[in-house]
Amino acid sequence: MSSTKIFLKSSDDKTFEIDETAARASETLKNIIDGGCLDGVIPLPNVSSNILPKVIEYCKKHGGDNGSSKKIANGGVDKDKEILPDYDEEEDKREKVRVDELKKWEEEYMDFDQQVLYDLMLAANYLHIKGLLDLTVEKAASMIRGRTPDQIRENFNINSDFTPEEEEEMILIEDEWDDEWAFD
Amino acid sequence: MEEVKHLPCEIVSEILSRLPIESIMQFKSVCKSWFSLIEDPSFVKLQLKRAKSQPHRLILWSNQVRKNWVLLLDRDKEGKDMWKGRDISLEYTFKYEKQDHCLNFIIVGSCNGLLCMVSTFWYGCCSIFYGIFICNPITQECTMLPVGGGRFFDGGDIAEGQIGFGVDSSGKYKVIQIFKKQSFSSDVDDDCGLKGEIITLGESSWREIEIPYKSFYSRDDSWRKRRAIEGMVFMNGVLYCIIQKPTTHEVSDQPIILVFNLDDDKFSTIEFRPSIELPPYYELGLTEIKGSLALHHRLDFYDEPSILRMWLIDINKSKGNQLYHCDHTRVPKMGRNFFVCFDLVGMLSNNLLLYTVEIERGTLLLAHCLEKKQFMRVQIPQAIPSRFQAKSFVPSLVSPIAIACGKTKKDGRYKFQGLHLEVVGYSSLWEFMSSCLLHPTFSPTLSYKSQYLPR
């Protein structure tokens, strides 16, 4: 595939360059490119200039290759392979190395604070980059796992809008599903 | 810190759908929009999809004298053999002579977070069949199926026959009962056909279905040869169970697998090549192992360390009779036992098989790590009954009531805490039962004594 350059403009009017193959990782950008409405620069009013380079970095890594990212989403192992005898062991090893390398890259890539995480989720959602959305959402989920509803409200800046009577009922549910396992 | 922007609904559902069911249930109380999001049918679908790709959970249950005991088990991430459990209150009662009586139940099927339960109660020294329930132990919702064509009331004996529960490709949940057509008056070993009845969740009556296979075995065979009422295995829109191979002349102990396709309501069978030596049908168990059907040897008499045998059936291969003898493991000796019964519960995650083992002093839960070829006894911190059964389970928010009533749960009500069922409009059980017998299409209405919260 030819590597035509595409220009993206962030919400604060900064322009970034990306290869067309990489840009195709985004469903939204792909549609714009295929729709032939390429008028030099694509404006992205929902993505700021401190997030856009992050998005481009991801697209560069994943552009034109959806195979291995899918493998990770499935838990890295093809279920048929482990129990049925006839499969290519060599191919499996190579695949494993690829997956491991990608996992390591993702780990380094995902090292940022919560604010960036939220912005990145919004950007991935807006640009329809499934892999990036999965990655960021998974991280957000692991961050809130095991927290109490109170902590969640604080974290997501949500006010409880239940009436006092409803609140009481809610406390019952909370208690029932309290994550304190009877261990000690 | 800068104020966090509100996330759009679709991102919140993506995040929540990746959480364990306990967190999801708890986070209903975060705010009204999260509450309605979690109740929304599209979220229920999304959560189910994610939960299915996760390692399955385990449900343990046991009928105790005055209480049913259900435990939702989860493998502890850090610990090795200590698993965590959560008590789930499932209380089903019926009114008889103005008193609440507790129903016992057997879980015969587990599909998409719904359990199919056969309930019985003790009357004198007999266990009497009461009904079949579909329930979601997470949301505590439960619906009772209409009473079938009278088979179970016929002799009161529920020891024989099998019940299957699954969902077809269009999302219809179906329950099928298979039992032997048997004349109770005859003492001769008669060749009995199999009889089947099926119902789709939401329908008002059972339909009889023809099973073009016969089963030959004498009525007074030893208890081991009578298959206890147990669940058929559900996998990808198809139900499977082991039956005896039909022969034209003599009684055979050879197993074959009866296959029922929920999409077209058609039966077929899987036969095995004669070269494969299999134990008799009554010593075999059937389970799903990661998308394959597995046969395993259930019974063992042992003085020495015993051998666990398992065969994987490749259904996709032509004629469907390929068996892979995949597992052949020596099990460590567990005390001085003369007789053991293994049941393969299933594969919860990659390389981890779970067995329940019945020995003299009770039931053990045994985890078998395929990679390390190691067995370990699963420890549960709670006090648990000495005998229990187990089933693999995918926790979901699927509502059996919504499916049965054809309604979506959008009316903004929810239920919590233990659920009590009560048959309404029938003051005595016998009146209720006789009305069922007289009107096979009768469908009792049930009231839910749980509390509702108007939005």
Side-chain angles (χ1 to χ4, degrees):
Chain A
M1 224 188 268
S2 68
S3 63
T4 325
K5 298 283 181 206
I6 286 178
F7 296 94
L8 305 173
K9 197 162 79 181
S10 68
S11 59
D12 43 353
D13 276 342
K14 286 184 183 152
T15 308
F16 295 86
E17 190 189 278
I18 183 172
D19 283 345
E20 190 195 310
T21 44
R24 282 179 178 274
S26 151
E27 210 50 45
T28 309
L29 292 180
K30 189 173 156 260
N31 288 343
I32 295 176
I33 296 164
D34 292 345
C37 328
L38 255 186
D39 191 18
V41 182
I42 301 172
L44 302 171
N46 292 348
V47 189
S48 71
S49 63
N50 53 346
I51 292 302
L52 196 48
K54 265 306 228 191
V55 176
I56 291 174
E57 191 189 341
Y58 180 89
C59 289
K60 273 183 185 160
K61 188 82 188 169
H62 291 263
D65 161 41
N66 288 324
S68 37
S69 55
K70 249 185 220 156
K71 275 273 150 58
I72 287 193
N74 290 342
V77 193
D78 198 341
K79 62 178 182 182
D80 295 333
K81 283 186 176 169
E82 48 180 342
I83 36 180
L84 299 180
D86 50 334
Y87 69 93
D88 188 349
E89 224 167 88
E90 277 300 303
E91 176 57 35
D92 202 55
K93 256 184 208 157
R94 278 198 296 278
E95 181 63 37
K96 215 176 165 198
V97 170
R98 264 206 303 277
V99 169
D100 284 351
E101 190 236 349
L102 203 62
K103 264 193 177 157
K104 205 175 154 218
W105 178 85
E106 281 177 353
E107 220 167 85
E108 282 165 18
Y109 174 82
M110 292 300 285
D111 185 26
F112 41 66
D113 68 25
Q114 191 173 314
Q115 188 56 51
V116 177
L117 177 65
Y118 287 163
D119 290 341
L120 210 50
M121 271 195 285
L122 291 169
N125 192 42
Y126 169 65
L127 289 169
H128 287 278
I129 310 173
K130 202 183 164 302
L132 183 59
L133 187 63
D134 281 343
L135 206 61
T136 46
V137 160
E138 190 60 61
K139 173 153 178 166
S142 70
M143 279 166 59
I144 66 172
R145 199 166 287 160
R147 297 210 184 163
T148 65
D150 270 339
Q151 289 169 326
I152 295 298
R153 275 183 223 117
E154 202 179 309
N155 211 298
F156 286 84
N157 192 29
I158 298 168
N159 293 322
S160 171
D161 47 3
F162 291 108
T163 63
E165 299 90 65
E166 288 171 333
E167 193 87 37
E168 250 170 62
E169 313 267 345
M170 286 301 168
I171 287 168
L172 285 173
I173 303 189
E174 267 178 49
D175 287 349
E176 192 189 346
W177 293 99
D178 197 339
D179 207 36
E180 285 301 309
W181 295 87
F183 257 124
D184 21 41
Chain B
M1 199 178 95
E2 196 191 329
E3 209 173 78
V4 178
K5 286 172 232 159
H6 276 285
L7 290 168
C9 254
E10 64 256 40
I11 294 185
V12 177
S13 27
E14 284 288 339
I15 297 173
L16 291 180
S17 67
R18 287 168 161 82
L19 293 173
I21 199 76
E22 288 85 359
S23 298
I24 295 175
M25 292 305 282
Q26 257 203 318
F27 292 168
K28 273 184 164 186
S29 65
V30 166
C31 63
K32 277 187 177 174
S33 66
W34 280 35
F35 182 94
S36 44
L37 187 143
I38 290 168
E39 298 252 305
D40 193 85
S42 64
F43 180 79
V44 172
K45 239 185 211 166
L46 185 67
Q47 188 277 336
L48 177 63
K49 196 179 120 198
R50 300 247 188 271
K52 277 172 149 177
S53 65
Q54 295 292 314
H56 291 188
R57 303 279 289 268
L58 200 65
I59 277 227
L60 303 187
W61 82 94
S62 176
N63 290 315
Q64 288 175 327
V65 182
R66 279 181 201 287
K67 190 178 175 275
N68 291 310
W69 172 87
V70 180
L71 198 66
L72 178 63
L73 215 59
D74 200 8
R75 195 180 180 190
D76 188 17
K77 297 279 181 313
E78 288 101 48
K80 282 185 189 92
D81 51 1
M82 183 66 94
W83 291 34
K84 38 189 193 177
R86 172 185 295 279
D87 280 314
I88 289 184
S89 52
L90 278 185
E91 294 236 333
Y92 301 103
T93 54
F94 64 93
K95 263 202 164 48
Y96 171 52
E97 289 174 350
K98 292 186 182 153
Q99 272 189 358
D100 277 347
H101 291 259
C102 188
L103 290 172
N104 294 322
F105 59 83
I106 310 160
I107 298 173
V108 291
S110 158
C111 168
N112 291 355
L114 298 179
L115 299 176
C116 178
M117 311 191 314
V118 174
S119 58
T120 57
F121 62 93
W122 286 99
Y123 187 77
C125 58
C126 312
S127 177
I128 294 175
F129 172 80
Y130 183 75
I132 300 174
F133 292 96
I134 305 294
C135 95
N136 183 331
I138 301 295
T139 63
Q140 299 282 319
E141 287 177 292
C142 184
T143 183
M144 187 181 176
L145 296 180
V147 177
R151 132 79 191 169
F152 286 112
F153 293 106
D154 213 16
D157 181 11
I158 62 158
E160 292 161 59
Q162 298 213 27
I163 293 184
F165 173 55
V167 62
D168 72 6
S169 55
S170 64
K172 284 185 182 135
Y173 290 85
K174 294 180 176 178
V175 178
I176 178 172
Q177 310 179 43
I178 293 177
F179 39 83
K180 281 190 301 159
K181 230 186 304 184
Q182 202 171 58
S183 65
F184 281 86
S185 52
S186 157
D187 284 332
V188 251
D189 294 352
D190 43 7
D191 54 337
C192 324
L194 293 169
K195 196 169 164 266
E197 278 183 349
I198 187 166
I199 193 167
T200 302
L201 192 50
E203 282 176 353
S204 58
S205 64
W206 295 76
R207 283 175 288 128
E208 196 167 314
I209 39 170
E210 198 66 37
I211 305 175
Y213 304 96
K214 281 188 166 186
S215 173
F216 292 76
Y217 63 137
S218 64
R219 210 142 57 75
D220 47 25
D221 260 334
S222 75
W223 62 271
R224 290 203 297 140
K225 295 197 182 189
R226 291 168 164 244
R227 294 198 66 81
I229 182 166
E230 65 182 281
M232 302 167 77
V233 175
F234 171 71
M235 206 172 78
N236 305 329
V238 182
L239 286 163
Y240 302 92
C241 70
I242 302 169
I243 59 167
Q244 202 178 1
K245 186 177 182 175
T247 48
T248 43
H249 47 283
E250 60 183 46
V251 174
S252 153
D253 279 344
Q254 264 184 303
I256 60 168
I257 290 175
L258 187 63
V259 181
F260 181 70
N261 190 328
L262 289 172
D263 278 330
D264 57 10
D265 288 2
K266 290 257 161 61
F267 285 97
S268 56
T269 54
I270 297 176
E271 291 195 35
F272 306 116
R273 281 181 305 213
S275 59
I276 302 160
E277 270 184 44
L278 288 172
Y281 71 95
Y282 51 84
E283 289 188 6
L284 283 169
L286 199 62
T287 330
E288 184 207 334
I289 300 284
K290 288 258 154 186
S292 287
L293 205 57
L295 274 178
H296 67 276
H297 198 177
R298 298 172 71 214
L299 300 174
D300 209 351
F301 300 87
Y302 76 109
D303 287 323
E304 297 183 5
S306 73
I307 290 169
L308 270 185
R309 290 194 292 164
M310 185 173 95
W311 299 264
L312 283 176
I313 303 165
D314 188 358
I315 299 159
N316 299 323
K317 285 271 164 68
S318 60
K319 298 216 176 80
N321 60 358
Q322 301 289 313
L323 278 169
Y324 294 107
H325 192 167
C326 107
D327 197 27
H328 194 92
T329 318
R330 286 192 169 271
V331 190
K333 205 172 157 181
M334 279 159 284
R336 294 169 52 177
N337 297 291
F338 153 69
F339 169 73
V340 214
C341 182
F342 294 96
D343 237 325
L344 185 53
V345 179
M347 195 179 222
L348 290 205
S349 57
N350 289 344
N351 285 319
L352 194 79
L353 286 174
L354 272 184
Y355 287 90
T356 53
V357 185
E358 293 287 333
I359 58 173
E360 285 165 354
R361 57 197 151 93
T363 313
L364 303 178
L365 195 59
L366 213 59
H368 177 195
C369 177
L370 293 178
E371 220 166 38
K372 295 180 198 152
K373 298 197 169 175
Q374 252 177 17
F375 277 91
M376 56 190 182
R377 191 174 159 189
V378 173
Q379 309 277 352
I380 301 158
Q382 277 94 339
I384 57 171
S386 64
R387 292 209 185 270
F388 57 85
Q389 282 169 286
K391 213 157 200 97
S392 91
F393 178 69
V394 178
S396 81
L397 302 162
V398 175
S399 160
I401 294 175
I403 300 166
C405 303
K407 277 184 258 168
T408 52
K409 224 169 96 188
K410 269 252 152 178
D411 54 359
R413 301 185 303 178
Y414 73 92
K415 298 165 194 68
F416 68 98
Q417 306 246 302
L419 177 73
H420 300 270
L421 288 173
E422 169 184 359
V423 179
V424 174
Y426 291 86
S427 53
S428 91
L429 177 75
W430 302 114
E431 198 181 320
F432 164 66
M433 289 207 335
S434 55
S435 71
C436 298
L437 282 171
L438 294 173
H439 311 285
T441 56
F442 166 81
S443 164
T445 41
L446 300 168
S447 77
Y448 303 94
K449 266 201 232 156
S450 43
Q451 297 176 40
Y452 295 95
L453 173 74
R455 178 84 43 82

